């Protein structure tokens, strides 16, 4: 008799329980949960006895040296804060930078006797402090017993000892608790935890042994200490500026930045590694997959949040996120870059916002941006999926890359705008700028993506009726036309294109592109001969609501007659290059005699585009055509950024610290229609916290005037920044520079 199963019916697994999914823990996998929150802490016991209790309990430890008081010397004007370049942080706690000595005063119940008394200053971070993991660090005053954090006594005066401590240049960055431990023959007695003895330790670009060391004082002042930035936008040949208040020293911002790392559940032990910190933050600044700081929105509908064009600084965004524990609505690339810049500078990592004009973003991860034409030369918008952003903002941060070969440290690209996933999350970088320039695509992180953003070719394909695709024109120089950042210490822009790429058509550029192809990047190998007819679209400056006379220039460079069957298209586009709606389409037939130039004028009335406008008001004109005699394709593209009206900002009062001053914002509706749902925002680094006013309606030719009191908190030159935003009119700015006296 063969063995038979007792039952042949298979039972289905029970259904999962209803309700929220239980939170997974480390129980059964690790002896203790991973410490991943700077806000969580474990109190160190006040007493640790070396001996067993006697009949009357433990022996008293009060007969020995005792701590009466600890002075963290945390005052903003004190030596600790000024020497560590942290005196601008608006905090009552001590803020220092790693790899650099600071001092604390310890007052005992009697004079300290080095030969008899033993004590240590202990620094603790996280919920599971361990010496081996760098989360518990004792510091001893004697040379015979030193740790990774050297300590020494610099002064004694009666009962007070001044203890100097130097945090390791690679130590964990965050908020520590400090204790003073007295060692006796019977055990250890510690001070109780007090909030006044907490301290923050940051990255240190002034310390040569810190991985973020930047050996240029003007760059350090700009990329770490400067609260006010300029972000470049618009189009390559019509660059506009937006002033931004980073506010990295404002009340609550440092704690908000540490909360971002806590929210990501980043292990405390990894927070001394700048590469890991910036990569984690790149994911956390957007909310696509981890409930991060900012919700992206390019739709034009901002009903349930703040329009990206309305923000003037990072303070409101970061404080809102840390207070509500919810993502903030809404952001686009420059908002992501600006808030990320605040995060990096606040933690001590040198950083700057960078703008790439004509930034490629395609759907295939290659070095081609494909534009599909039909057989007549007209753009097939249904099949053209790739887009070229008029501009795209990201960040650069400065650090050594010990994980890469020598020569690839320095400026690194990091990007918080959610575009593509990296290791399963929406983030980008850090990618070495030097690696991008030299085509080293194999080095982490995300170098191929950034390389494509600045080096893609624009390839025009003609699609036959049978579906075949033939390249008819390749533009090698359109993408990555110019890359700018703010000049250190000045209000001008700095061209850093040469840090990302070699000159067009140079031998070095060809070598780099060949190397990128070897690493798997695909690019169009064919190079169709250029047509003997050129199309030229001139630069245009145009204000919102103005009519336009568009000049299209046709140049015949041959000795024969040419006939061009052209298509002139005008579209309202988002700054990402995505078309909102087409408002112009004409099909001129242009006949050119040998070596003749002909200008065709196209009249564009404001009413044709005004009703289709989206924020950032870009008009994209594309002219394509087919030369009848040769079959060659000719193309030209021009982005026209519409200029918005300006806000007027005036300042009155005595420009002196703590004296009352007034800022007045004024705007008059220049249009023939009402403006509704208007938000006006205003703030100023070091002088005015963010505030806003709401106006339900503003009739034509009607002014709005808002005056706000403020009291400057520190001396120096700064600006009052203001914005006006409503559904019918975005990106209206104004500012006023002021110099505050002590």
């Amino acid at each position: 008799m063969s063995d038979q199963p007792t039952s042949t019916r298979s039972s289905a697994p029970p259904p999962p329980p209803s309700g929220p999914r239980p939170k997974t823990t480390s129980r059964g996998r690790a002896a203790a949960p991973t410490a991943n929150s700077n806000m969580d802490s474990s109190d160190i016991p006040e007493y640790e006895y070396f001996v067993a209790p006697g009949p009357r309990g433990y022996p008293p430890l009060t007969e020995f040296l005792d701590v009466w008081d600890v002075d963290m010397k945390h005052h903003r004007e004190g030596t600790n804060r000024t020497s560590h370049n942290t005196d601008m942080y608006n905090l009552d706690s001590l803020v220092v930078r790693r790899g650099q000595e600071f001092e604390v005063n310890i007052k005992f119940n009697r004079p300290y006797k080095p030969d008899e008394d033993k004590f240590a200053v202990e620094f603790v971070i996280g919920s599971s402090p361990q010496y081996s993991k760098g989360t518990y660090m004792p510091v001893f005053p004697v040379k015979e017993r030193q740790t990774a954090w050297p300590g020494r006594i610099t002064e004694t005066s009666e009962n007070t000892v001044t203890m100097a401590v130097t945090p390791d240049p690679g130590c964990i960055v965050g908020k520590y608790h400090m204790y003073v431990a007295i060692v006796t023959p019977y055990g250890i007695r510690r001070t109780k935890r007090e909030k006044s003895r907490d301290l923050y330790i940051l990255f240190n670009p002034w310390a040569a042994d810190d991985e973020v060391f930047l050996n240029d004082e003007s760059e350090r002042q700009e990329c770490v200490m400067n609260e006010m930035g300029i972000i470049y936008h618009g189009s390559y040949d019509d660059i506009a500026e937006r002033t931004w208040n980073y506010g990295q020293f404002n009340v609550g911002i440092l704690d908000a930045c540490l909360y971002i790392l806590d929210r990501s559940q980043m292990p405390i032990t990894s927070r001394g590694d700048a590469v890991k910190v910036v990569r984690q933050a790149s994911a956390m600044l957007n909310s696509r997959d981890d409930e991060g700081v900012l919700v992206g929105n390019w739709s034009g509908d901002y009903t349930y949040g703040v329009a990206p064009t309305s923000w003037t600084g990072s303070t409101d965004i970061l404080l809102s996120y840390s207070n509500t524990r919810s993502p903030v609505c809404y952001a686009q690339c420059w908002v992501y870059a600006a808030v990320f810049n605040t995060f990096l500078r606040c933690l001590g990592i040198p950083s700057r916002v960078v703008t790439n004009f004509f930034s490629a973003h395609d759907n295939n991860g290659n070095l081609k941006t494909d534009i599909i034409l039909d057989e007549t030369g007209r753009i097939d918008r249904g099949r053209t999926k790739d887009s070229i952003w008029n501009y795209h903002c990201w960040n650069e941060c400065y650090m050594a890359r010990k994980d890469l070969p020598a020569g690839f440290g320095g400026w690194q690209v990091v990007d918080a705008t959610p575009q593509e996933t990296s290791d399963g999350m929406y983030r980008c970088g850090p990618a070495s700028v030097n690696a991008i320039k030299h085509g080293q695509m194999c080095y982490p992180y995300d170098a191929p993506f950034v390389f494509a953003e600045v080096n893609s070719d624009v390839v025009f394909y003609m699609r036959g009726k049978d579906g075949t695709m033939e390249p008819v024109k390749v533009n090698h120089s359109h993408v990555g036309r110019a890359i700018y950042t703010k000049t250190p210490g000045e209000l001008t822009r700095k061209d850093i294109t040469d840090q990302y790429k070699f000159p067009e058509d140079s031998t070095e550029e060809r070598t780099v592109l060949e190397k990128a192809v070897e690493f798997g990047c695909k690019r169009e190998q064919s190079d169709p001969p250029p047509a003997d007819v050129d199309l030229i679209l001139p630069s245009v400056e145009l204000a919102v609501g103005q009519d336009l006379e568009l000049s299209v220039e046709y140049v015949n460079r041959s000795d024969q007659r040419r006939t061009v069957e052209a298509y002139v298209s005008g579209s309202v586009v988002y700054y990402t290059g995505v078309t909102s709606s087409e408002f112009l389409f004409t099909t001129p037939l242009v006949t050119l005699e040998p070596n003749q130039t002909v200008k065709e004028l196209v009249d564009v009335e404001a009413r044709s585009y005004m009703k289709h406008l989206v924020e950032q008001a870009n008009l994209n004109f594309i002219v394509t055509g087919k030369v009848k005699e040769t079959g060659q394709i000719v193309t030209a593209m021009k982005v026209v950024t519409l200029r918005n009206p300006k806000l007027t900002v005036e300042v009155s009062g005595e420009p002196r610290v703590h004296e009352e001053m007034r800022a007045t914002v004024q705007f008059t509706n220049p249009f023939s229609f009402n403006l509704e749902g208007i938000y006006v925002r205003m703030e100023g680094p070091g002088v005015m916290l963010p505030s806003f006013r709401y106006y339900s309606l503003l009739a034509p030719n009607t002014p709005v005037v808002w005056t706000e009191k403020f009291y400057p908190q520190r001396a120096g030159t700064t600006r009052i920044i203001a914005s006006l935003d409503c559904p019918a009119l975005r990106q209206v700015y104004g500012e006023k520079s002021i110099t505050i006296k002590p």
Side-chain angles (χ1 to χ4, degrees):
M1 181 182 238
S2 62
D3 292 336
Q4 296 290 331
T6 57
S7 173
T8 58
R9 177 181 294 176
S10 62
S11 60
S18 59
R21 180 178 295 180
K23 184 178 180 180
T24 58
T25 68
S26 60
R27 183 177 179 182
R29 183 174 60 86
T34 302
N36 54 24
S37 174
N38 203 166
M39 296 302 111
D40 293 343
S41 60
S42 177
D43 284 336
I44 305 296
E46 186 176 353
Y47 297 98
E48 284 188 57
Y49 286 94
F50 301 153
V51 297
R56 297 183 180 180
Y58 287 106
L61 303 182
T62 54
E63 300 175 1
F64 302 94
L65 188 69
D66 193 12
V67 178
W68 278 8
D69 188 29
V70 177
D71 178 10
M72 298 296 291
K73 303 180 73 172
H74 67 277
H75 300 293
R76 294 173 63 176
E77 64 278 4
T79 305
N80 278 340
R81 297 282 291 269
T82 55
S83 64
H84 284 251
N85 296 284
T86 60
D87 52 303
M88 292 179 68
Y89 284 89
N90 205 330
L91 279 167
D92 287 333
S93 299
L94 178 61
V95 185
V96 297
R97 301 186 187 275
R98 63 187 191 177
Q100 184 174 338
E101 189 176 77
F102 67 92
E103 294 182 340
V104 296
N105 289 337
I106 305 170
K107 186 176 183 180
F108 297 109
N109 60 331
R110 58 169 174 78
Y112 168 66
K113 302 175 182 177
D115 296 334
E116 300 178 13
D117 301 325
K118 296 180 181 179
F119 76 93
V121 179
E122 301 173 322
F123 297 90
V124 174
I125 186 170
S127 59
S128 303
Q130 293 178 262
Y131 178 77
S132 61
K133 296 186 180 298
T135 52
Y136 164 75
M137 190 57 59
V139 180
F140 300 97
V142 292
K143 293 181 179 180
E144 296 75 25
R145 192 176 184 188
Q146 293 289 302
T147 63
W149 292 27
R152 66 191 182 98
I153 293 177
T154 58
E155 185 181 352
T156 58
S157 175
E158 297 181 347
N159 295 2
T160 301
V161 168
T162 300
M163 178 80 169
V165 179
T166 305
D168 183 81
C171 75
I172 296 166
V173 167
K175 184 178 182 179
Y176 286 76
H177 310 304
M178 194 201 85
Y179 302 86
V180 180
I182 306 295
V183 182
T184 74
Y186 304 110
I188 298 173
R189 183 186 183 187
R190 289 187 178 87
T191 54
K192 295 180 180 179
R193 178 181 170 183
E194 291 188 13
K195 186 177 180 180
S196 63
R197 296 171 192 166
D198 293 346
L199 77 157
Y200 298 82
I201 298 181
L202 310 179
F203 292 99
N204 193 351
W206 283 267
D209 293 333
D210 196 306
E211 62 185 315
V212 303
F213 173 63
L214 176 57
N215 193 22
D216 186 322
E217 182 59 22
S218 64
E219 290 276 13
R220 288 194 294 248
Q221 289 300 319
E222 178 66 43
C223 298
V224 181
M225 302 301 294
N226 194 1
E227 292 180 279
M228 188 173 58
I230 299 175
I231 300 173
Y232 301 101
H233 62 106
S235 58
Y236 159 71
D237 53 1
D238 188 16
I239 296 173
E241 299 178 355
R242 174 187 290 112
T243 302
W244 190 274
N245 178 17
Y246 296 125
Q248 67 265 36
F249 305 121
N250 284 350
V251 176
I253 296 301
L254 180 52
D255 284 322
C257 293
L258 296 178
Y259 169 71
I260 291 171
L261 297 178
D262 287 352
R263 184 68 178 268
S264 72
Q265 298 189 338
M266 182 182 191
I268 291 288
T269 53
S270 298
R271 299 188 190 183
D273 188 325
V275 172
K276 293 180 179 178
V277 168
V278 300
R279 184 155 173 78
Q280 190 73 45
S282 171
M284 278 303 298
L285 263 292
N286 69 74
S287 64
R288 281 293 295 267
D289 42 25
D290 47 18
E291 291 294 298
V293 178
L294 283 160
V295 179
N297 187 346
W298 284 261
S299 71
D301 181 4
Y302 309 118
T303 305
Y304 299 104
V306 176
T309 48
S310 185
W311 299 114
T312 52
S314 305
T315 301
D316 272 352
I317 295 171
L318 288 170
L319 293 183
S320 176
Y321 182 69
S322 65
N323 291 333
T324 66
R325 305 306 202 237
S326 298
V328 179
C329 302
Y330 292 104
Q332 292 175 6
C333 74
W334 75 91
V335 182
Y336 284 114
V339 178
F340 199 0
N341 215 52
T342 301
F343 173 91
L344 294 168
R345 291 187 182 183
C346 185
L347 294 186
I349 301 173
S351 62
R352 59 192 186 186
V353 175
V354 170
T355 303
N356 177 35
F357 286 95
F358 295 134
S359 188
H361 183 196
D362 69 83
N363 296 316
N364 304 314
N366 53 36
L367 293 179
K368 300 186 300 176
T369 298
D370 304 335
I371 297 179
I372 314 302
L373 310 176
D374 62 21
E375 287 186 309
T376 65
R378 181 179 180 179
I379 289 181
D380 187 339
R381 296 192 182 276
R383 290 186 170 88
T384 300
K385 303 298 183 183
D386 294 352
S387 63
I388 301 173
W389 295 30
N390 296 341
Y391 68 92
H392 178 50
C393 297
W394 59 64
N395 301 84
E396 286 181 0
C397 55
Y398 196 92
M399 63 183 67
R401 288 296 299 271
K402 299 176 182 178
D403 56 327
L404 301 182
F408 294 104
W411 291 111
Q412 312 287 315
V413 172
V414 285
D415 192 349
T417 302
Q419 297 181 90
E420 305 290 342
T421 58
S422 172
D423 294 337
M425 300 185 75
Y426 282 94
R427 58 184 167 188
C428 180
S432 167
V433 172
N434 207 26
I436 293 164
K437 181 174 181 176
H438 290 87
Q440 296 289 353
M441 300 294 96
C442 59
Y443 295 138
Y445 296 87
D446 308 311
F449 181 80
V450 182
F451 186 86
E453 286 184 299
V454 299
N455 284 296
S456 284
D457 296 331
V458 180
V459 184
F460 293 84
Y461 290 94
M462 180 173 287
R463 187 178 187 275
K465 293 181 179 178
D466 58 355
T468 57
M469 304 279 284
E470 178 188 357
V472 292
K473 183 177 179 179
V474 180
N475 189 329
H476 298 292
S477 61
H478 185 71
V479 170
R481 187 74 63 86
I483 304 171
Y484 290 110
T485 190
K486 181 180 177 296
T487 304
E490 299 180 17
L491 300 178
T492 59
R493 59 179 180 262
K494 179 181 180 181
D495 190 341
I496 57 171
T497 311
D498 62 347
Q499 296 183 21
Y500 281 82
K501 53 202 296 188
F502 289 100
E504 295 288 344
D505 299 324
S506 64
T507 302
E508 294 89 347
E509 186 208 29
R510 288 192 292 272
T511 301
V512 166
L513 292 172
E514 290 171 1
K515 188 182 299 182
V517 171
E518 292 176 1
F519 282 117
C521 294
K522 298 178 182 179
R523 70 187 298 249
E524 182 57 52
Q525 298 298 326
S526 62
D527 197 359
D532 52 18
V533 174
D534 286 342
L535 290 181
I536 300 173
L537 286 173
S539 299
V540 178
E541 290 188 4
L542 188 66
V544 173
Q546 282 187 337
D547 296 339
L548 167 66
E549 191 177 62
L550 181 69
S551 173
V552 184
E553 193 171 321
Y554 301 81
V555 182
N556 182 4
R557 302 191 185 281
S558 75
D559 296 328
Q560 300 178 14
R561 187 178 185 179
R562 293 288 183 255
T563 304
V564 180
E565 298 171 330
Y567 297 87
V568 180
S569 169
S571 303
V572 173
V573 296
Y574 297 91
Y575 83 95
T576 57
V578 175
T579 299
S580 170
S581 54
E582 188 176 59
F583 64 86
L584 170 70
F585 183 73
T586 62
T587 57
L589 181 66
V590 182
T591 301
L592 301 169
E593 299 300 327
N595 299 304
Q596 183 188 19
T597 297
V598 172
K599 287 186 178 181
E600 289 280 323
L601 299 179
V602 180
D603 290 325
V604 180
E605 294 184 349
R607 63 184 182 182
S608 67
Y609 67 76
M610 282 293 291
K611 59 185 177 182
H612 301 296
L613 285 185
V614 294
E615 75 270 13
Q616 301 207 49
N618 294 307
L619 306 183
N620 189 24
F621 294 98
I622 301 179
V623 182
T624 62
K626 190 173 185 179
V627 181
K628 192 173 182 180
E629 291 80 6
T630 63
Q632 293 175 317
I633 296 295
V634 291
T635 66
M637 297 183 291
K638 177 65 62 177
V639 174
V640 177
T641 301
L642 297 181
R643 296 178 179 270
N644 284 324
K646 296 287 187 181
L647 285 176
T648 301
V649 182
E650 296 295 338
V651 175
S652 60
E654 178 67 20
R656 198 173 294 277
V657 173
H658 302 314
E659 293 290 332
E660 180 182 301
M661 298 186 68
R662 295 173 182 264
T664 300
V665 177
Q666 184 170 348
F667 175 80
T668 300
N669 180 3
F671 304 111
S672 59
F673 52 86
N674 293 335
L675 297 177
E676 299 178 0
I678 302 166
Y679 282 92
V680 183
R681 295 176 181 271
M682 182 164 46
E683 63 180 295
V687 293
M688 179 190 292
L689 291 175
S691 57
F692 71 89
R693 290 291 183 271
Y694 174 77
Y695 302 90
S696 59
L697 185 142
L698 187 62
N701 299 313
T702 303
V704 59
V705 180
W706 168 31
T707 299
E708 187 77 11
K709 294 179 183 179
F710 66 96
Y711 299 85
Q713 298 301 304
R714 60 173 178 265
T717 299
T718 185
R719 292 186 184 187
I720 299 295
I721 309 164
S723 74
L724 180 145
D725 192 90
C726 66
L729 184 63
R730 306 286 189 194
Q731 201 159 278
V732 179
Y733 297 106
E735 59 184 50
K736 184 70 174 180
S737 179
I738 53 175
T739 300
I740 306 299
K741 302 174 184 177

